[in-house]
């Protein structure tokens, strides 16, 4: 298991771009009721953030993406 700080601090741990969502300004400690797990509001903010980042990445790399679909 690789911790997030290892991924961000050491070069070459993984060969992929990462989305750093560790410190979203819209989130506060109150968004984590037990201090660890996201509450409903945090989940919505986080999901929106990741969706936007993925959408941007897909747009920037659309020429390299191949999608295949089949129905059985």
């Amino acid at each position: 298991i690789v911790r997030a700080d290892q991924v961000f601090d050491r070069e070459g741990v993984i060969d992929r771009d990462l989305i750093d969502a560790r410190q979203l300004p819209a989130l506060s400690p109150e968004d984590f009721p037990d201090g660890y797990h996201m509450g409903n509001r945090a989940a919505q903010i986080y999901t929106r953030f990741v969706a936007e980042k993925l959408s941007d990445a897909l747009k920037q790399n659309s020429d390299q993406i191949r999608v295949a679909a089949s129905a059985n």
Side-chain angles (χ1 to χ4, degrees):
I1 296 175
V2 178
R3 296 188 329 253
D5 60 332
Q6 292 172 318
V7 172
F8 286 97
D9 290 341
R10 289 191 307 181
E11 208 171 287
V13 173
I14 62 170
D15 186 24
R16 298 286 178 249
D17 292 334
L18 298 173
I19 298 171
D20 188 353
R22 294 178 292 175
Q23 296 180 356
L24 296 180
L27 297 178
S28 68
E30 290 79 27
D31 291 312
F32 299 85
D34 64 0
Y36 185 76
H37 296 94
M38 291 181 188
N40 189 40
R41 180 179 174 278
Q44 291 175 3
I45 292 169
Y46 180 80
T47 299
R48 190 175 309 116
F49 172 81
V50 172
E52 289 172 3
K53 294 293 184 181
L54 289 175
S55 176
D56 292 346
L58 289 171
K59 288 175 189 172
Q60 291 174 4
N61 298 291
S62 61
D63 60 326
Q64 300 174 23
I65 299 170
R66 299 176 204 268
V67 177
S70 65
N72 293 335

